[in-house]
Amino acid sequence: MTIAIDVHAAVAPSGRADRIGRGLAAFAALATVGAFADGIIRMTNAADDRLWVEAWRTITYAFFIGLFALLAARPRQAAGVWELALAGKTALVVFAVAVGDIPEARLAGMVDFALVVIVALAYVLSRGWQAWQPGTTDPTRRGTAVASRARTSPPGPGLQPPVPG
């Protein structure tokens, strides 16, 4: 049985960078909790013609809280989640700039821009792009051997181990 060290484990972020990146993702989740609470207040005070829009916005805040929490918990095991969060928030910033002087868009655009910066820093520090690579790195498994082209555990019943060759 041959065991190879996963190439990606060698490029895992330092423990400090990983903690900072996860912390930034957690901060993004907590900051969004504030927006969610504000959304609840807006929903309770909304006129009938605005209730649906305010509910949609508030539910979307809850969705982003979950995304950011997932990224904080498993930054290199969430393929596509980083990119979706960054794309969604970046699109909102672009739209806020495009509509310009609408007061609500100006404030929301600044908040979303701050979130884009925070999430992008977290992505870089925790090396979120590694989620797309086979054998993702997990700091709790740092230094463990990962199978490259060989099995690290015995085959299941009725299965034969691979033949080197």
Side-chain angles (χ1 to χ4, degrees):
M1 173 176 9
T2 304
I3 296 178
I5 300 297
D6 185 0
V7 183
H8 306 299
V11 293
S14 69
R16 184 176 188 190
D18 187 60
R19 281 190 303 278
I20 293 170
R22 287 172 184 253
L24 288 171
F27 175 77
L30 291 173
T32 307
V33 168
F36 177 75
D38 180 61
I40 300 260
I41 292 167
R42 286 175 185 255
M43 279 177 51
T44 59
N45 296 327
D48 289 345
D49 63 334
R50 296 274 310 159
L51 184 58
W52 171 254
V53 172
E54 295 301 336
W56 182 85
R57 181 190 330 208
T58 303
I59 292 165
T60 302
Y61 290 143
F63 175 78
F64 272 97
I65 292 167
L67 286 181
F68 295 143
L70 283 171
L71 295 174
R74 302 174 64 122
R76 287 168 303 286
Q77 297 169 338
V81 178
W82 285 108
E83 294 81 3
L84 282 172
L86 283 168
K89 289 298 176 184
T90 300
L92 289 170
V93 170
V94 169
F95 188 72
V97 169
V99 297
D101 286 338
I102 298 172
E104 189 175 5
R106 193 177 319 122
L107 176 60
M110 289 188 293
V111 170
D112 283 329
F113 179 74
L115 278 172
V116 167
V117 170
I118 289 167
V119 173
L121 281 170
Y123 180 72
V124 170
L125 287 168
S126 62
R127 299 188 180 184
W129 62 86
Q130 290 181 343
W132 291 97
Q133 299 170 350
T136 59
T137 57
D138 180 358
T140 61
R141 294 177 14 205
R142 182 170 287 149
T144 60
V146 178
S148 174
R149 292 189 177 203
R151 297 183 69 91
T152 57
S153 60
L159 298 176
Q160 297 298 317
V163 178

